[in-house]
Amino acid sequence: MMDILIHVRDLKTWFPQNRTLFGRPRAWLKAVDDVSLTITKGECLGLAGESGCGKTTLGRTILQLVKPRAGSIEFGGTPLQHLSSKELQPYRPRMQMVFQDPKSSLNPKMTMLAVLTEAIRINPLSGKGAVLDRAVELAHLVDLRPEHLFRYPHEFSGGQQQRICIARALATGPDFIVFDESTSALDVSVQAQILNLMERLRMKLNLTYLFISHDLSVLEQICDRVAVMYGGQIVEIQDARHLFAHPRHPYTKGLREAVPIADPDARQTFVSIKGEVPSLIDPPGGCRFHPRCDFADKTCETKVPVPENLEVQRNWIRCHHHKKLKFN
């Protein structure tokens, strides 16, 4: 039996827009709308989709950095959404986040040692020596040297800065880490080094990841399963290799066809998805992808598709016509 660490049910994270004189919202931005998923211990779940589809908001909501409007989030079987700030304190060290831009997420006036020490104090250790020993241990974990501890962020490269951010996330001994586009700002060669480091740490420390990215090639390399998000909703979840080899949703097919082939001799025709990303304030009725879908009909325009289980456990899809659509 699989040991589920994160269980999200019917999650909605809406933001009020254009408040009236009395503070009532005239509209809601539905950044996350009716999302359900599970993440098992030790798993890396990828989250893919175009910019503005709600990926980052979903990650922040799971970590309780943003409060949901409805739905439930369970961490190790404990519902989090109704806990007070004080009641959440024991869970904060166990859930961490690594952000997209390491430079902006590090205090330029703090050395690496100060950054790590601040995080270590969330889980107090006995004596200054123990704190320093832990900082040295964290530096080694992310392939940095002890002398780096006394340097400031501007003295590091982008890849080294991201290693510091990963070390800071590890400082509290977490079980679960959300990586929000954490390699997109790095050069390709450095990106590969960080991905290898993340995979090594996951195996060594038995960590669980939610890896948010718009780069499908990265998701295919590092993730066990991938969830595809569109218009605030998840439209497909499959095992990573099977999803990229045999996508079942038209949107996933469109994302896959937009990925460049790493072959200078190959002639590739890029097929873009027609239309624009929908407004999350006033999303389309029925299937949210139908205005951009080549296979949409009247049913797609009027009826909201419900998630249907696929052949493999915990893999499912939201599409009225997925049984008759066959993509190579």
Side-chain angles (χ1 to χ4, degrees):
M1 184 176 179
M2 290 178 292
D3 195 355
I4 294 176
L5 181 65
I6 304 291
H7 196 165
V8 177
R9 294 189 185 95
D10 306 322
L11 190 67
K12 295 183 179 182
T13 305
W14 296 4
F15 299 102
Q17 305 290 306
N18 303 323
R19 290 185 183 273
T20 65
L21 182 64
F22 300 101
R24 296 177 181 175
R26 291 190 175 93
W28 293 90
L29 190 151
K30 302 174 182 178
V32 175
D33 197 24
D34 192 25
V35 166
S36 298
L37 57 83
T38 59
I39 309 176
T40 59
K41 286 186 178 180
E43 180 182 25
C44 179
L45 176 69
L47 188 59
E50 294 168 286
S51 297
C53 70
K55 304 188 299 296
T56 295
T57 302
L58 176 57
R60 289 172 178 263
T61 306
I62 292 174
L63 296 183
Q64 297 297 292
L65 300 178
V66 177
K67 283 294 184 181
R69 179 175 172 82
S72 65
I73 304 164
E74 293 182 7
F75 180 80
T78 302
L80 300 179
Q81 69 278 4
H82 299 305
L83 298 182
S84 66
S85 297
K86 186 175 181 180
E87 292 170 331
L88 273 172
Q89 285 181 3
Y91 297 95
R92 292 292 188 194
R94 300 177 61 191
M95 303 183 295
Q96 294 295 308
M97 191 167 193
V98 178
F99 298 93
Q100 178 176 1
D101 184 2
K103 186 175 182 179
S104 63
S105 64
L106 292 171
N107 188 329
K109 297 181 179 180
M110 295 175 67
T111 63
M112 178 182 173
L113 178 61
V115 168
L116 297 182
T117 300
E118 185 178 52
I120 291 169
R121 284 174 180 159
I122 296 175
N123 279 349
L125 298 173
S126 57
K128 295 182 179 179
V131 173
L132 181 58
D133 290 343
R134 176 62 175 156
V136 172
E137 179 187 355
L138 290 167
H140 284 305
L141 274 175
V142 297
D143 298 332
L144 293 175
R145 299 189 301 274
E147 55 264 34
H148 285 139
L149 291 170
F150 304 99
R151 297 182 185 177
Y152 290 88
H154 72 273
E155 299 179 88
F156 293 96
S157 67
Q160 289 174 324
Q161 289 175 352
Q162 197 60 286
R163 290 173 189 271
I164 297 172
C165 294
I166 294 172
R168 178 176 59 186
L170 296 174
T172 61
D175 301 305
F176 176 60
I177 302 178
V178 175
F179 290 91
D180 185 13
E181 302 275 8
S182 301
T183 60
S184 62
L186 305 176
D187 294 337
V188 175
S189 59
V190 178
Q191 185 181 94
Q193 294 171 14
I194 297 297
L195 291 174
N196 290 332
L197 171 65
M198 289 168 52
E199 185 65 13
R200 190 167 71 248
L201 291 171
R202 179 164 72 105
M203 297 302 176
K204 183 176 181 178
L205 304 176
N206 193 27
L207 298 171
T208 304
Y209 293 162
L210 175 64
F211 191 88
I212 300 170
S213 180
H214 62 271
D215 191 333
L216 299 189
S217 60
V218 170
L219 294 174
E220 185 176 12
Q221 176 183 341
I222 195 172
C223 297
D224 301 307
R225 290 186 305 145
V226 175
V228 180
M229 198 165 184
Y230 181 80
Q233 297 181 335
I234 291 178
V235 297
E236 180 175 8
I237 297 181
Q238 281 207 72
D239 294 337
R241 291 184 180 180
H242 199 269
L243 181 133
F244 295 115
H246 305 286
R248 300 287 289 269
H249 197 282
Y251 179 60
T252 310
K253 173 180 176 288
L255 291 179
R256 188 194 65 171
E257 290 179 345
V259 177
I261 298 174
D263 183 355
D265 298 323
R267 298 183 64 86
Q268 182 179 7
T269 301
F270 295 101
V271 181
S272 62
I273 303 173
K274 68 181 183 181
E276 300 292 334
V277 178
S279 167
L280 296 181
I281 297 177
D282 185 25
C287 173
R288 293 191 176 177
F289 186 61
H290 85 260
R292 307 176 68 189
C293 181
D294 294 328
F295 308 97
D297 58 15
K298 292 295 183 181
T299 302
C300 304
E301 296 175 10
T302 57
K303 186 177 178 182
V304 177
V306 297
E308 294 186 42
N309 292 327
L310 297 175
E311 297 79 10
V312 180
Q313 188 179 9
R314 299 191 305 136
N315 292 358
W316 53 265
I317 187 171
R318 261 184 212 262
C319 180
H320 292 300
H321 306 302
H322 73 91
K323 292 181 179 178
K324 64 182 182 183
L325 297 178
K326 299 295 182 182
F327 305 130
N328 295 323

